[in-house]
């Protein structure tokens, strides 16, 4: 599992400056990181705050190497219970599985 952790830490330490430049170029007025509360948690808060909805193409969401293997073995973030409670924000549960 060591290489997975090293790769994840390297990814987390990579600057988001190029992405921020693209967002500015396209007129983005808000953004967030995807840390402890995960993609759904942060997206939910942004949508709630702006009275908007969002669609996620799940097969297009990149995962760190080893992420699925960890989940399958019961290894999850300490914030996973809070993230799981956000299921209420997902309108297509069956499709999202």
């Amino acid at each position: 599992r060591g290489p997975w952790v090293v790769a994840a830490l390297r990814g987390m330490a990579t600057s988001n400056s190029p992405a921020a430049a693209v967002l500015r170029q396209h007129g983005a007025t808000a953004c967030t990181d995807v840390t402890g509360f995960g993609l759904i948690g942060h997206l939910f808060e942004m949508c709630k705050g702006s009275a908007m909805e969002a669609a996620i193409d799940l097969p297009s969401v990149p995962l760190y190497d080893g992420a699925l293997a960890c989940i399958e073995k019961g290894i999850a973030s300490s914030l996973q219970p809070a993230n799981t409670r956000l299921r209420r924000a997902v309108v297509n549960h069956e499709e999202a599985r």
Side-chain angles (χ1 to χ4, degrees):
R1 290 189 200 123
W4 295 345
V5 173
V6 169
L9 291 173
R10 188 178 317 114
M12 290 179 221
T14 301
S15 172
N16 285 320
S17 181
V22 171
L23 290 171
R24 280 191 300 275
Q25 204 173 18
H26 291 278
T29 58
C31 69
T32 185
D33 62 348
V34 181
T35 54
F37 293 105
L39 176 60
I40 296 296
H42 287 279
L43 186 59
F44 173 75
E45 289 299 320
M46 291 184 73
C47 288
K48 186 173 86 173
S50 61
M52 299 296 290
E53 294 181 353
I56 300 172
D57 179 22
L58 290 177
S60 296
V61 176
L63 299 174
Y64 286 117
D65 288 342
L68 288 179
C70 287
I71 294 298
E72 289 167 355
K73 293 178 182 189
I75 302 168
S77 162
S78 60
L79 293 173
Q80 181 59 27
N83 293 339
T84 300
R85 285 193 292 275
L86 286 170
R87 286 189 314 251
R88 71 184 189 280
V90 176
V91 296
N92 59 341
H93 288 274
E94 291 308 312
E95 189 179 324
R97 289 176 193 239

